[in-house]
Amino acid sequence: MKWSQAVIILLASSRVEALAFTPTTTTRVSHIESLYRHSPLKGTQLYAASADEEEEKPFNPYADPNYPDLEFVNYDDPEYQVDQGDEIFNASEDSTEVEIEAMREDRRRRNDEYQFETYHAEFLKSGDLYKGEWTVYRTSTFMEGVDDEEGAFPKFKKEDNVRRVVSSGKKIFLDAPEEGFEFRVDAERLVHEERLAEKHDFEDDEEWEAALAATEAAEASEDVVGKSYTPAEMSAFDFRGSAGAMCVGNCYTVSDITTQGDNDGPLSEMRSEIGLQYKRMRYRVKWDYRVKELQKDEKYPALHLHSMIVCRETRERWPRYKDMNSDDSISERLFGAPGAQGGLFDRPPVGGEDQAKQYMTLDLEGGATVLFPHKIDQDPEAHNGNGWVQTIDWCPGRLRYQVDKKIKSGKEVRGLKTLELTEIQASDAEQWKPNDGGSDMRQ
């Protein structure tokens, strides 16, 4: 009896240990000894057997009455496949990839819609007017009678006269085809308008006459205000990234191009814009790149900076107000001391030594600093295929913002890689200023 009791206790103990390691259907187990089928014990099924009977029966390591008729699964067997029914997993690999890509495209379309609607509501304010002063900087690269040395930085000429400009953007709606539109925004387009101010845009004649005189004295206004920085009719698809448009937080970017010859040819012009918004204020910088006339026949002509425009604007009013009872803090934030305090908060990477020589930094009135390339190579092999970056660092108040627009290289130079926004308390900027020498944000 003592021997029988010992066997019962030993086997019962093995039974409990096996139950503790029984795997679920979602758990991979490396020890095959832990896998078995079992049925609940009804009473004690163990008994004290004679020595002859024990020798005839095979050893039962699982304490299971169905042994050895058990189903064993070896998950390490490379030929093993999960059987979950032919009706579920009968699709081919190609059809599965098609379905997955369809789901990805649906997500992309919905993000396009979100970007489109956010840009219209938050940055165009659903069609409200922005009134502002545009300051133009022209480079010596395209000035008559000025020859820059090869590899030298271009000289900048800031125009004395500012232009008073009124900007807005609105939605237009397309006629629906017979089959209708898959997405609602497929029927919508954004149209931008930027025009020189007119008499009805001012509250008194004196201010209008001053603005008119400054505009007439300025150089070639149609070459500044008339240039498009967005597609003529902007669709939701333009926010996909390849068209260089996106918005994040309180910043956005848009772009427009002109190609040489067919659409697959190199660019002859590329215009890029970055905007930051803070309360009623909007601070925009526009860069206009063009190919030199003598380089248009080259296979990969470089794009050189033709001009840069700084737009200081406020919503539904002019940024400088003569009324002494109005808040003049906006004027200070848009036209105050030049340059971000301490320079760029987080200098972005600008490639190797040769590529870094093609970048410039300028301090702008209103507490802003910009970084940009004055020359962009279209050769896909240039600089090991490294892309380009344009940066604005602006502190309009309690918060300080830095926007980094990172674009691709070669024929895809218009395409957006990332649009990165950094926000920090202005009072803490110097304490937390990065010292990594320039690095990309982790994705």
Side-chain angles (χ1 to χ4, degrees):
M1 288 295 295
K2 289 183 179 180
W3 181 85
S4 300
Q5 291 175 352
V7 171
I8 292 173
I9 293 172
L10 174 63
L11 294 178
S13 174
S14 299
R15 172 85 173 179
V16 172
E17 180 180 357
L19 284 172
F21 287 90
T22 301
T24 65
T25 57
T26 59
T27 304
R28 180 180 179 187
V29 182
S30 58
H31 299 290
I32 194 66
E33 291 80 8
S34 300
L35 301 175
Y36 63 90
R37 289 180 177 174
H38 67 275
S39 58
L41 289 175
K42 296 181 180 179
T44 300
Q45 299 184 18
L46 305 177
Y47 56 92
S50 65
D52 294 337
E53 291 175 335
E54 283 297 320
E55 291 176 356
E56 294 176 359
K57 294 184 63 176
F59 175 66
N60 185 351
Y62 305 105
D64 192 296
N66 295 317
Y67 181 83
D69 299 324
L70 302 177
E71 178 182 358
F72 291 89
V73 178
N74 182 4
Y75 290 100
D76 293 322
D77 183 357
E79 301 297 327
Y80 171 73
Q81 293 182 344
V82 179
D83 181 11
Q84 299 194 29
D86 293 338
E87 69 280 0
I88 298 178
F89 289 90
N90 60 355
S92 66
E93 182 177 345
D94 291 342
S95 63
T96 301
E97 286 297 325
V98 170
E99 294 175 3
I100 292 174
E101 179 57 30
M103 290 188 289
R104 290 171 178 163
E105 178 62 17
D106 181 72
R107 289 181 59 186
R108 288 191 287 262
R109 291 292 303 272
R110 296 188 185 281
N111 183 66
D112 297 342
E113 179 180 6
Y114 170 79
Q115 289 276 320
F116 181 88
E117 295 291 7
T118 300
Y119 178 73
H120 176 252
E122 298 299 325
F123 297 100
L124 299 181
K125 296 300 180 183
S126 303
D128 284 356
L129 298 180
Y130 276 85
K131 299 180 179 181
E133 297 185 13
W134 287 22
T135 303
V136 179
Y137 297 80
R138 298 186 184 273
T139 66
S140 56
T141 308
F142 292 89
M143 290 182 184
E144 293 184 7
V146 179
D147 294 324
D148 293 328
E149 295 181 8
E150 186 65 28
F153 291 108
K155 302 176 182 64
F156 274 70
K157 178 185 176 183
K158 178 183 176 182
E159 292 189 2
D160 296 329
N161 297 290
V162 299
R163 292 169 178 80
R164 297 290 188 95
V165 180
V166 178
S167 305
S168 64
K170 63 180 180 180
K171 278 186 180 182
I172 62 172
F173 300 90
L174 308 181
D175 295 330
E178 292 183 2
E179 64 274 14
F181 292 105
E182 182 180 0
F183 284 78
R184 175 183 52 81
V185 291
D186 291 343
E188 301 175 359
R189 298 290 186 271
L190 294 177
V191 177
H192 297 75
E193 181 185 17
E194 294 177 336
R195 59 174 176 82
L196 292 171
E198 300 172 355
K199 185 174 182 179
H200 62 82
D201 296 314
F202 297 91
E203 295 181 0
D204 58 65
D205 293 341
E206 182 181 351
E207 194 172 9
W208 154 243
E209 290 172 0
L212 180 61
T215 301
E216 291 176 345
E219 304 175 21
S221 290
E222 68 279 357
D223 190 43
V224 176
V225 183
K227 281 288 183 179
S228 64
Y229 285 75
T230 63
E233 294 184 359
M234 198 172 185
S235 68
F237 186 79
D238 289 321
F239 289 90
R240 183 65 60 94
S242 58
M246 188 174 289
C247 53
V248 58
N250 65 326
C251 76
Y252 74 90
T253 184
V254 291
S255 178
D256 196 19
I257 58 172
T258 303
T259 59
Q260 294 185 191
D262 56 27
N263 292 332
D264 292 331
L267 304 184
S268 59
E269 297 182 10
M270 183 176 74
R271 294 171 293 281
S272 176
E273 174 183 320
I274 298 177
L276 268 166
Q277 191 163 268
Y278 182 77
K279 297 183 178 179
R280 297 180 66 91
M281 295 175 283
R282 192 168 69 178
Y283 202 104
R284 296 190 288 161
V285 178
K286 298 170 177 278
W287 290 273
D288 182 358
Y289 293 91
R290 304 182 188 182
V291 171
K292 291 181 178 180
E293 188 67 31
L294 297 177
Q295 298 177 347
K296 286 187 175 181
D297 294 332
E298 296 181 5
K299 184 178 181 179
Y300 299 116
L303 292 163
H304 296 265
L305 185 63
H306 176 272
S307 62
M308 184 180 75
I309 308 171
V310 181
C311 311
R312 300 173 176 91
E313 305 163 314
T314 45
R315 184 181 173 190
E316 298 292 347
R317 54 162 278 191
W318 295 106
R320 299 195 214 231
Y321 232 60
K322 290 186 177 181
D323 184 0
M324 298 302 295
N325 295 323
S326 66
D327 180 12
D328 62 354
S329 62
I330 287 181
S331 297
E332 176 62 25
R333 291 168 180 173
L334 290 173
F335 301 96
Q341 185 175 2
L344 289 177
F345 171 70
D346 185 6
R347 188 176 182 86
V350 292
E353 182 178 353
D354 290 340
Q355 188 175 12
K357 292 178 180 178
Q358 297 178 202
Y359 279 86
M360 298 185 69
T361 302
L362 283 181
D363 291 335
L364 304 175
E365 292 179 351
T369 297
V370 292
L371 169 77
F372 54 90
H374 63 83
K375 175 187 175 184
I376 297 178
D377 296 292
Q378 295 194 73
D379 186 346
E381 302 299 326
H383 312 297
N384 297 319
N386 193 38
W388 305 87
V389 61
Q390 295 167 320
T391 297
I392 299 179
D393 184 340
W394 181 45
C395 182
R398 183 176 59 86
L399 292 176
R400 179 171 173 175
Y401 303 97
Q402 178 171 320
V403 186
D404 298 316
K405 176 181 181 177
K406 297 178 180 178
I407 57 178
K408 299 180 181 180
S409 61
K411 294 178 64 175
E412 298 181 317
V413 68
R414 182 193 188 189
L416 189 65
K417 291 173 64 178
T418 59
L419 181 65
E420 302 171 0
L421 173 65
T422 302
E423 299 181 7
I424 189 169
Q425 295 275 355
S427 58
D428 297 335
E430 197 61 32
Q431 177 183 357
W432 300 107
K433 192 170 186 176
N435 56 3
D436 55 9
S439 61
D440 292 312
M441 283 188 175
R442 288 178 294 178
Q443 303 301 311

